[in-house]
């Protein structure tokens, strides 16, 4: 557990990432990405390339796919340059238009066990929220398609918060919506950027109590990439249910790896 986390005095909310955490949406994102790249005259990417870059917000992810498609493009379009931003914004808009329109329970259905988990958390009086590095409209579409939008009191995406993950800004916005401090919340995600964002909240609080991060390795990233940046990691939805049950039933938070 991160030293800055501090002791828990009881959690009041659980926040979730969307893709690879709640929704089994890999094929949707991967296919939509290659459609957009192909239309732009860029070579299609591999699954490995998709996973490596899915830690970035959509515009930056697509711009990186473009410059990684040919050696000369990396020199012509440096990361962070105006052209890089232009390319990312243009392709990101096309991606979102396609991606969001394809959302349903087949393309972005929840992993088995997730919906009952959310209903149980809600029934226990916990506040529930979501933060994704995709567009907020995508998050809204996924939650509505899976019939749980009414359970979420705060929903945000990279396009409606000051800075995307791994920065803490989006999680702090969610906390503000809920009227809670980061130390009152747990954040569940499948990417290193999720764990980093949760830990970064500690730097923004007066008492140094950051958000507890729970990583899930059944999404886009293997356990070894998650352990260094999360307080605990689990490899299945069943493991997540057990981990949250333990965290929420104990005054003292535990660190480790759940199987």
């Amino acid at each position: 557990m991160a030293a800055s986390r501090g002791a828990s005095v009881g959690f009041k909310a659980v926040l979730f990432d969307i893709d690879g955490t709640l929704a089994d949406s890999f094929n949707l994102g991967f296919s939509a990405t290659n459609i957009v790249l192909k239309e732009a005259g860029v070579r299609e990417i591999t699954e490995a390339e998709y996973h490596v870059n899915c830690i970035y917000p959509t515009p930056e992810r697509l711009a990186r796919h473009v410059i990684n498609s040919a050696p000369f493009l990396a020199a012509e379009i440096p990361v962070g340059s105006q052209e890089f931003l232009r390319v990312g914004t243009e392709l990101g808009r096309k991606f979102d238009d396609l991606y969001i329109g394809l959302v349903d329970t087949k393309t972005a259905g929840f992993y088995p066990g997730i919906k009952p988990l959310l209903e149980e958390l809600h029934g226990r009086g916990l506040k529930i929220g979501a933060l994704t590095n995709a567009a907020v409209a995508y998050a809204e579409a996924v939650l509505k398609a899976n019939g749980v939008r009414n359970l979420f009191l705060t929903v945000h995406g990279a396009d409606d918060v000051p800075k995307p993950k791994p920065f803490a800004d989006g999680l702090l916005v969610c906390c503000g919506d809920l009227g809670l401090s980061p130390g009152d919340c747990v954040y569940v995600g499948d990417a290193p950027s999720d764990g980093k964002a949760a830990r970064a909240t500690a730097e923004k609080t007066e008492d140094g109590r950051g958000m507890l991060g729970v990583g899930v390795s059944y999404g886009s990233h293997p356990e070894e990439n998650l352990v260094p940046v999360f307080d605990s990691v689990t490899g299945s939805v069943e493991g997540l249910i057990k981990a949250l049950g333990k965290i929420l039933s104990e005054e003292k938070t535990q660190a480790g790896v759940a199987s």
Side-chain angles (χ1 to χ4, degrees):
M1 187 173 71
S4 61
R5 171 68 184 86
S8 170
V9 293
F11 293 102
K12 300 175 182 178
V14 182
L15 309 177
F16 294 89
D17 175 47
I18 299 289
D19 292 327
T21 301
L22 297 179
D24 186 3
S25 51
F26 164 74
N27 287 329
L28 171 61
F30 180 62
S31 298
T33 294
N34 274 330
I35 289 172
V36 170
L37 292 176
K38 186 175 181 180
E39 289 179 350
V42 178
R43 72 162 175 83
E44 296 184 8
I45 60 169
T46 65
E47 291 187 7
E49 289 173 310
Y50 179 84
H51 284 309
V52 166
N53 288 284
C54 69
I55 62 173
Y56 301 109
T58 300
E60 180 175 354
R61 178 176 66 80
L62 287 162
R64 285 178 178 272
H65 288 321
V66 170
I67 66 173
N68 290 337
S69 67
F72 72 92
L73 288 174
E76 290 187 359
I77 311 176
V79 173
S81 66
Q82 287 299 313
E83 182 62 9
F84 181 87
L85 297 175
R86 186 196 67 76
V87 168
T89 299
E90 179 181 337
L91 295 183
R93 187 179 302 113
K94 292 180 179 179
F95 176 85
D96 285 341
D97 289 344
L98 174 63
Y99 187 54
I100 295 168
L102 294 174
V103 169
D104 60 25
T105 54
K106 292 183 179 179
T107 60
F110 282 173
Y111 291 99
I114 286 293
K115 187 172 183 179
L117 169 61
L118 296 173
E119 292 171 338
E120 181 181 349
L121 294 174
H122 182 262
R124 291 176 63 171
L126 288 151
K127 296 180 177 181
I128 303 174
L131 174 67
T132 176
N133 259 0
V136 65
Y138 171 74
E140 293 279 4
V142 172
L143 297 177
K144 289 175 183 176
N146 285 279
V148 297
R149 180 60 184 87
N150 62 305
L151 304 183
F152 286 72
L153 298 180
T154 177
V155 179
H156 289 284
D159 58 338
D160 78 333
V161 298
K163 290 182 180 179
K165 299 175 289 186
F167 297 98
D169 300 56
L171 291 177
L172 295 176
V173 170
C174 290
C175 288
D177 290 347
L178 299 176
L180 299 175
S181 298
D184 297 324
C185 307
V186 178
Y187 185 50
V188 183
D190 73 313
S193 54
D194 296 324
K196 291 176 182 178
R199 288 192 172 177
T201 60
E203 302 170 7
K204 306 294 183 179
T205 61
E206 292 184 1
D207 61 6
R209 290 181 61 232
M211 197 171 291
L212 186 76
V214 177
V216 295
S217 59
Y218 56 76
S220 295
H221 297 270
E223 181 181 292
E224 58 265 28
N225 291 354
L226 304 180
V227 169
V229 293
F230 282 97
D231 297 290
S232 65
V233 177
T234 181
S236 66
V237 174
E238 291 78 11
L240 174 61
I241 293 169
K242 291 178 182 179
L244 289 178
K246 186 175 183 180
I247 289 167
L248 297 171
S249 66
E250 295 181 356
E251 287 279 320
K252 192 173 182 179
T253 57
Q254 302 290 326
V257 178
S259 60

